[in-house]
Amino acid sequence: MDRIVVKGNGALSGDIPISGAKNACLTLMPATLLSEEPLTLTNAPRLSDIRTMTALLQSLGCEVTSLQDGKVLTMSSHDINNHKADYDIVRKMRASILVLGPMLARDGHAVVSLPGGCAIGARPVDLHLKALEAMGAELDLRDGYVHAKAIGGRLQGAEFTFPLVSVGATENALLAAVLAKGTTVLKNSAREPEIVDLANCLIKMGAQIEGAATGTITIQGVDSLHGATHPVVTDRIELGTYMLAPAIAGGEVELLGGQRELVGAFADKLEEAEIEVTQTNRGLKVKRKNGRVRAVDVVTEPFPGFPTDLQAQMMALMCTAEGTSVLEEKIFENRFMHAPELMRMGANIDVHGGHATVTGVDKLKGAPVMATDLRASVSLILAGLAAEGETVVSRVYHLDRGYEHVVRKLSGVGAHIERLQEGD
Ligand code: EPZ
């Protein structure tokens, strides 16, 4: 298995281009199932998760063509011939469940494997299913699969209130409601930029949607949708991750394509920690205000709150901050697995339930550490940028799911980082 080796190398400087968002692309790609005409996505990220979604759509009979080194995806579901999303693909990536809503909306039936467990939490899909049932889907959970049928052959508009905010369930319901008969109102829906990006793309395809950024989404179902071309929104989690590089290692870095509104609560927290964040016409410029980072408390929440997908990376910064910080993880029940790895590097962290208390130390020390999930893996790389000596991160396949060209992007601003292939 590949490993990534990082040596603390002092202050960073230069530019890092930010890619299209994994979590937007994963919900945009299934939209191709909603029209017979081609859907083209530009600014697509080149990631293993995108390749998994491509394989899933192809297994249903979609054509997916990757152009410009994978940055442009043209998809057509004109001739789909299979309505079963197989466990062998779904088990690799939970977002596969996002083909359920559009397949049901398109042809009135679908069979989709249940995703199963995940390192960061139980992550049930009950809200996805409840929202579709409210639109007239008949669901039968059997042999690890959801067997779904639209009563009367077509989904019906409905009002549904999510008991808790779910990004995925909102996306599945939105993808289903655009072709349902009548009006759907989704209350307490997620407001993430990826949801807004999905709604904008669907509107380009002819859908009638209002309120995607508000928490109450109203969809007027239509009989059919047409093709479109849509640029994938900037990846706010990749953006936030690289904003932390100059914060943790020193220096100044400009994140090309960064927009503050994508990372509002996070940028506010960085400023509270004595990190300067400046919007430029090229992106976001980040540097420490005066040499030392101040400890701050963090609570993860749905957008526009502090994103859970930046909690691990923020913990890495707090490891060398001045003072003690408390990070509260409110979205997932098991998302502190990076803490023991950071402690192997000399961090002082005490985890109790959904809270982690981090007491800043002067210096971290490089060590062999293990990635446990996508965001945990990059938090270890960030910690390595500020550590004395060498940090060797193993199981980096986690990283490949959500970060393209990490080594190239960080070494481009002066980091001492390399990837060792198996056997090197
Ligand atoms: C999306 O996951 C993202 N993944 C996650 O990013 C992100 O952490 C999460 O939203 C929260 O922002 C993608 O977009 C592909 P949720 P999702 O449904 O949709 C509970 C990354 O690192 N819940 O908003 O699965 C659930 O258990 C990944 O890129 C139910 O109880 O998240 C969790 O506690 C990790 N029943 C909470 O809601 C349901 O039916 C929020 O989950 C659905 C969710």
Side-chain angles (χ1 to χ4, degrees):
M1 266 191 278
D2 291 10
R3 289 153 298 146
I4 287 188
V5 180
V6 191
K7 284 198 192 92
N9 192 34
L12 306 174
S13 78
D15 305 339
I16 297 182
I18 303 300
S19 308
K22 166 182 82 82
N23 290 348
C25 203
L26 288 177
T27 189
L28 289 165
M29 292 173 75
T32 190
L33 294 163
L34 295 168
S35 170
E36 307 260 323
E37 296 175 22
L39 172 64
T40 297
L41 298 178
T42 59
N43 195 34
R46 282 72 55 96
L47 303 166
S48 60
D49 272 7
I50 303 303
R51 292 189 288 279
T52 304
M53 183 59 86
T54 298
L56 175 59
L57 292 173
Q58 288 169 335
S59 77
L60 303 175
C62 295
E63 266 170 46
V64 182
T65 316
S66 163
L67 304 162
Q68 291 179 25
D69 180 28
K71 286 200 85 162
V72 175
L73 297 172
T74 293
M75 300 163 286
S76 164
S77 66
H78 192 270
D79 310 314
I80 72 166
N81 51 21
N82 167 31
H83 289 73
K84 182 176 181 190
D86 206 80
Y87 174 66
D88 271 347
I89 300 181
V90 175
R91 69 182 170 77
K92 292 190 193 127
M93 182 184 67
R94 318 178 50 74
S96 308
I97 192 84
L98 294 174
V99 299
L100 176 59
M103 275 209 285
L104 255 183
R106 175 202 171 97
D107 293 332
H109 63 100
V111 178
V112 176
S113 169
L114 286 167
C118 171
I120 64 176
R123 302 184 75 178
V125 293
D126 56 322
L127 301 180
H128 297 238
L129 305 184
K130 287 200 180 96
L132 294 171
E133 275 174 335
M135 286 185 235
E138 215 166 50
L139 306 175
D140 176 12
L141 301 191
R142 198 163 11 104
D143 314 323
Y145 283 81
V146 186
H147 297 255
K149 271 198 181 57
I151 297 168
R154 184 177 181 188
L155 294 176
Q156 302 293 318
E159 191 166 299
F160 184 78
T161 303
F162 292 99
L164 60 88
V165 172
S166 160
V167 173
T170 300
E171 292 166 343
N172 232 335
L174 183 53
L175 285 161
V178 287
L179 288 180
K181 190 160 182 37
T183 306
T184 297
V185 181
L186 300 175
K187 292 189 171 169
N188 196 30
S189 57
R191 304 161 53 183
E192 271 64 7
E194 296 75 34
I195 304 266
V196 175
D197 201 39
L198 174 62
N200 289 342
C201 176
L202 292 170
I203 290 168
K204 272 185 203 149
M205 295 170 74
Q208 295 179 22
I209 302 169
E210 281 169 19
T214 68
T216 299
I217 309 178
T218 304
I219 305 113
Q220 184 57 44
V222 294
D223 294 339
S224 66
L225 293 175
H226 50 74
T229 296
H230 180 77
V232 178
V233 71
T234 301
D235 193 321
R236 65 195 169 97
I237 306 300
E238 188 196 28
L239 171 61
T241 300
Y242 289 126
M243 286 168 74
L244 286 164
I248 202 168
E252 181 173 59
V253 170
E254 188 161 6
L255 298 310
L256 305 182
Q259 299 136 44
R260 189 176 176 117
E261 66 265 18
L262 287 174
V263 285
F266 173 73
D268 295 348
K269 236 345 124 180
L270 286 192
E271 284 175 340
E272 203 186 313
E274 299 294 320
I275 309 292
E276 199 174 293
V277 178
T278 313
Q279 182 74 61
T280 69
N281 53 17
R282 300 198 311 157
L284 287 178
K285 224 177 224 174
V286 177
K287 66 177 182 180
R288 293 179 187 164
K289 281 183 189 155
N290 46 34
R292 189 74 198 262
V293 176
R294 188 147 64 86
V296 291
D297 295 339
V298 165
V299 180
T300 64
E301 289 168 308
F303 192 89
F306 189 102
T308 173
D309 294 346
L310 287 169
Q311 177 260 99
Q313 300 92 315
M314 191 68 177
M315 185 185 279
L317 178 69
M318 291 296 106
C319 289
T320 53
E322 203 156 312
T324 298
S325 57
V326 176
L327 291 88
E328 182 179 357
E329 175 54 58
K330 285 175 76 174
I331 307 292
F332 293 108
E333 62 275 20
N334 186 31
R335 203 169 202 180
F336 284 135
M337 295 212 285
H338 38 283
E341 300 300 319
L342 290 167
M343 287 151 86
R344 288 177 48 71
M345 299 175 71
N348 179 347
I349 307 170
D350 177 27
V351 174
H352 34 280
H355 294 80
T357 303
V358 183
T359 304
V361 297
D362 289 345
K363 196 78 183 155
L364 293 175
K365 297 209 174 19
V369 288
M370 192 159 63
T372 47
D373 62 76
L374 167 58
R375 307 304 172 183
S377 58
V378 82
S379 81
L380 302 174
I381 289 178
L382 288 174
L385 294 175
E388 225 163 57
E390 201 175 80
T391 300
V392 182
V393 184
S394 59
R395 297 190 178 185
V396 291
Y397 54 81
H398 288 291
L399 196 74
D400 297 336
R401 299 188 59 174
Y403 292 91
E404 61 173 17
H405 307 314
V406 173
V407 170
R408 189 195 302 172
K409 289 190 179 187
L410 284 173
S411 46
V413 292
H416 198 300
I417 181 169
E418 61 180 319
R419 184 173 184 130
L420 303 180
Q421 314 285 330
E422 177 131 21
D424 280 0

